[in-house]
């Protein structure tokens, strides 16, 4: 399967390293307006760079060698424009998260994607980390009983530098609650199996980026927040984000509690902990199980193997062996929840999802 990559910065390097592990995939074209990023991709491709064509934009890439699928890994605020010529083709598309930075753009992309037969997939790869996949399967199989609460924690490092520093401003990213947290809102919808009704977020830029200046502008991105989401089936979910906690052993922790038990998983430890309820005073019956990931796959990226397994699932969808697992609608809903959280934090109020979605 001949791949074209649009945007060849940091995330594209991870895609390139993982595509290399898939025997059916070959990279034939790259598009990026920054020559340094194209050089970076050529270096990552190493001995496979020889036959690869490079272009300054998506339009010229589409006039180049024939392709079987494309991956869009350009900055968030470029996704809508970059996708326009791609959606006019019959090519399968994997678009990095977030689908777009505004709800209008995200909804427009949902409409355009629905008019075509080819797979359109949004890169919500946290679903594909093997320990997270196992956690989701266990919750869906009823291991905690009836689910009532879902808490997601991300305690990590500050935003990395990007090509042109686009990620320092909410106008380019959609805001942290869209840019970073779309992953977690997507996980919430998937795990809870219902739609969000109302969102409350308290967050601000308290520690990071405060001394940075870009053309005399200070970044305007949230670096920590607490968000609660009420779902239509009564489940309440919580997201705890802190981006000045790089000393934390676990970067992500997912905790589901139902009427029968509590289930937790941690990344990067991969430790799954099951704690069934016990009578008061009785011995605890905690079970711990490590969920392993192939070291070659782990080494190919920074997302605990997720990029590889997502690409594999995307190839299955392209080949017609399996359905698209993360649709344009899923991508739009994650953007909508992120925007609801951004509005809630800015305006200090609860935001109902029907304010945004009607
Ligand atoms: N799935 C994940 O966990 C994950 C992780 C990191 C980044 N991402 C997403 O990947 C995308 C890229 O992020 P990144 O970290 O690689 O950023 P980056 O700044 O490292 O790279 C972006 C590249 O896109 C290029 N570009 C800019 N405008 C373009 C256009 N119109 N057409 C083609 N290329 C263009 C830039 O020159 C740059 O080389 C973003 O949408 C980001 O949110 C996803």
């Amino acid at each position: 399967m001949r791949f074209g990559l649009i945007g060849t910065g940091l995330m594209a390097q991870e895609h390139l390293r993982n595509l290399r592990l898939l025997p059916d995939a070959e990279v034939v074209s790259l598009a990026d307006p920054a020559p340094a990023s194209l050089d970076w991709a050529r270096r990552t491709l190493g001995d496979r760079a020889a036959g690869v064509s490079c272009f300054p934009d998506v339009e010229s890439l589409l006039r180049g060698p024939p392709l079987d699928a494309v991956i869009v890994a350009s900055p968030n605020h470029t996704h809508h424009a970059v996708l326009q010529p791609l959606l006019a083709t019959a090519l399968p598309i994997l678009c990095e998260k977030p689908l777009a930075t505004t709800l209008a753009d995200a909804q427009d992309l949902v409409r355009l994607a629905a008019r075509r037969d080819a797979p359109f997939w949004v890169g919500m790869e946290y679903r594909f980390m093997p320990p997270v996949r196992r956690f989701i399967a266990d919750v869906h199989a009823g291991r905690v009983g009836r689910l009532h609460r879902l808490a997601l924690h991300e305690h990590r490092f500050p935003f990395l530098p990007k090509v042109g520093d686009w990620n320092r401003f909410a106008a380019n990213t959609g805001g942290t609650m869209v840019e970073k947290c779309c992953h977690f809102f997507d996980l919430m919808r998937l795990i809870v199996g219902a739609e969000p009704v109302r969102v409350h977020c308290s967050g601000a830029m308290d520690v990071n980026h405060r001394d940075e200046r870009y053309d005399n502008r200070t970044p305007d991105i949230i670096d920590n927040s607490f968000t609660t989401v009420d779902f239509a089936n009564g489940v309440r979910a919580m997201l705890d984000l802190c981006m000045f906690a790089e000393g934390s052993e676990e970067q992500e922790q997912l905790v589901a509690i139902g009427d029968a038990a509590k289930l937790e998983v941690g990344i990067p430890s991969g430790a799954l902990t099951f704690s069934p309820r016990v009578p008061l005073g009785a011995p605890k019956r905690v079970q711990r199980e490590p969920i392993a990931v192939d070291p070659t796959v782990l080494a190919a990226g920074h997302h605990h193997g997720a990029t590889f397994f997502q690409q594999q699932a995307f190839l299955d969808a392209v080949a017609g062996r399996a359905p698209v697992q993360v649709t344009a609608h899923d991508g739009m809903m994650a953007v909508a929840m992120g925007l609801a959280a951004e509005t809630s934090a800015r305006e200090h109020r609860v935001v109902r999802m029907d304010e945004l979605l009607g």
Side-chain angles (χ1 to χ4, degrees):
M1 194 165 305
R2 295 161 299 183
F3 272 85
L5 261 77
I6 298 115
T8 59
L10 187 68
M11 191 57 201
Q13 311 304 317
E14 179 157 334
H15 278 295
L16 291 172
R17 287 192 300 272
N18 281 280
L19 285 171
R20 203 180 175 123
L21 302 177
L22 290 163
D24 293 347
E26 178 197 4
V27 176
V28 300
S29 297
L30 306 169
D32 198 301
S37 295
L38 289 170
D39 287 346
W40 189 7
R42 273 192 292 256
R43 284 198 302 280
T44 300
L45 282 165
D47 55 356
R48 299 190 183 190
V52 171
S53 307
C54 291
F55 302 95
D57 52 45
V58 63
E59 289 82 3
S60 46
L61 171 134
L62 286 173
R63 291 193 294 273
L67 298 169
D68 300 309
V70 290
I71 296 177
V72 175
S74 59
N76 305 355
H77 60 300
T78 67
H79 289 177
H80 185 262
V82 160
L83 285 166
Q84 298 306 306
L86 294 172
L87 286 163
T89 71
L91 284 171
I93 301 168
L94 189 161
C95 178
E96 264 306 333
K97 65 81 204 164
L99 178 58
T101 53
T102 69
L103 188 58
D105 281 358
Q107 288 175 324
D108 186 47
L109 292 170
V110 171
R111 275 190 297 274
L112 293 170
R115 286 195 200 146
R116 54 206 297 279
D117 292 330
F120 185 92
W121 185 298
V122 183
M124 292 296 184
E125 58 179 36
Y126 283 42
R127 291 181 178 211
F128 297 90
M129 293 176 181
V132 172
R133 235 181 350 191
R134 170 60 190 280
F135 173 90
I136 296 169
D138 280 7
V139 172
H140 287 173
R143 200 170 180 206
V144 300
R146 183 166 175 212
L147 179 68
H148 286 281
R149 298 163 40 104
L150 177 68
L152 308 181
H153 306 271
E154 183 165 68
H155 290 177
R156 56 162 270 179
F157 49 90
F159 278 123
L160 297 172
K162 297 279 160 163
V163 177
D165 305 311
W166 62 269
N167 65 345
R168 275 6 191 200
F169 295 95
N172 300 333
T173 64
T176 302
M177 303 312 294
V178 174
E179 147 68 9
K180 171 75 253 169
C181 302
C182 60
H183 281 302
F184 301 111
F185 294 133
D186 177 64
L187 283 179
M188 282 183 187
R189 282 183 66 246
L190 177 67
I191 295 166
V192 169
E195 294 299 349
V197 176
R198 63 188 81 78
V199 174
H200 181 250
C201 175
S202 168
M205 189 175 80
D206 288 329
V207 174
N208 299 340
H209 318 301
R210 293 173 68 92
D211 299 330
E212 297 176 11
R213 295 290 177 276
Y214 302 89
D215 295 330
N216 275 330
R217 290 188 306 151
T218 309
D220 61 355
I221 46 177
I222 287 172
D223 64 7
N224 76 109
S225 61
F226 290 111
T227 308
T228 57
V229 183
D230 291 334
F231 279 85
N233 60 357
V235 174
R236 54 181 61 88
M238 187 272 278
L239 169 63
D240 152 20
L241 173 75
C242 184
M243 299 189 69
F244 42 89
E246 54 272 53
S248 171
E249 269 190 351
E250 296 286 30
Q251 183 166 314
E252 283 92 21
Q253 281 178 298
L254 282 61
V255 184
I257 308 183
D259 54 9
K262 169 176 168 177
L263 186 69
E264 295 165 81
V265 74
I267 304 291
S269 73
L272 189 79
T273 308
F274 176 64
S275 314
R277 295 178 74 184
V278 290
L280 199 61
K284 311 262 186 221
R285 295 191 290 118
V286 176
Q287 297 166 29
R288 290 195 176 82
E289 189 183 345
I291 309 297
V293 184
D294 180 330
T296 312
V297 168
L298 268 185
H302 302 284
H303 296 90
H304 211 76
T307 303
F308 174 80
F309 293 108
Q310 178 175 251
Q311 285 180 353
Q312 210 173 40
F314 176 65
L315 287 186
D316 285 344
V318 173
R321 292 188 289 265
V324 169
Q325 292 187 43
V326 197
T327 63
H329 177 79
D330 292 328
M332 182 275 291
M333 284 301 298
V335 168
M337 293 175 75
L339 290 171
E342 285 282 330
T343 304
S344 173
R346 214 172 29 248
E347 300 180 7
H348 306 294
R349 67 180 181 90
V350 171
V351 174
R352 290 189 55 91
M353 290 307 295
D354 56 15
E355 282 182 45
L356 283 83
L357 299 171

